[in-house]
Amino acid sequence: LFKLVTKLYNAFEGRSLYDPVTVAVAIDESLGKFIRTGIKVDTKEEVGKTTISKERSNVLYCTEIDKNGFFELFTDYMNN
C-alpha cells in the first residue's frame, strides 16, 4: 500500500488527490449508480452548507459505488 500511495503522490507531483473515488467515477461512470437531483449551497446563513433541493435538477448524485471496480481501476493505474 505504501508503494501505491507513494506512486500516486509522485504522479501528481506532490499534490494531494482529495477524492480519488470522484475522479474514478468521472473516468468511468459505470462504477457508480446515480440519481438526478438538485443541490443548493447556502451563501447567507450557514455559508457553504450543501443540501438536496427539489426546486431543480442540476446534478447527478452518486448513491452507490462499485468498490471492487474502483479498487481495480485504482490499482491498474498505479501499477502502470
Side-chain angles (χ1 to χ4, degrees), residues 6-7 11 13-14 19 26 28 32 34 37 40 43 46 49 53-54 59 62 65 71-72 74 80:
T6 301
K7 188 171 183 179
E13 298 175 359
D19 197 343
D28 183 355
F34 302 87
T37 190
K40 185 163 56 170
T43 60
E46 294 183 66
K49 181 179 179 182
S53 168
K54 297 192 180 202
V59 297
C62 188
I65 295 291
F71 188 72
E72 184 178 327
F74 182 78
N80 290 322

Side-chain angles (χ1 to χ4, degrees), residues 55-66:
E55 296 172 15
R56 59 184 183 204
S57 294
N58 59 347
V59 297
L60 285 175
Y61 178 75
C62 188
T63 60
E64 189 175 322
I65 295 291
D66 174 359

Side-chain angles (χ1 to χ4, degrees), residues 13-43:
E13 298 175 359
R15 289 184 225 110
S16 296
L17 182 59
Y18 292 101
D19 197 343
V21 173
T22 301
V23 174
V25 171
I27 293 169
D28 183 355
E29 286 186 16
S30 73
L31 293 174
K33 291 187 180 178
F34 302 87
I35 60 171
R36 182 161 289 283
T37 190
I39 297 290
K40 185 163 56 170
V41 179
D42 190 330
T43 60

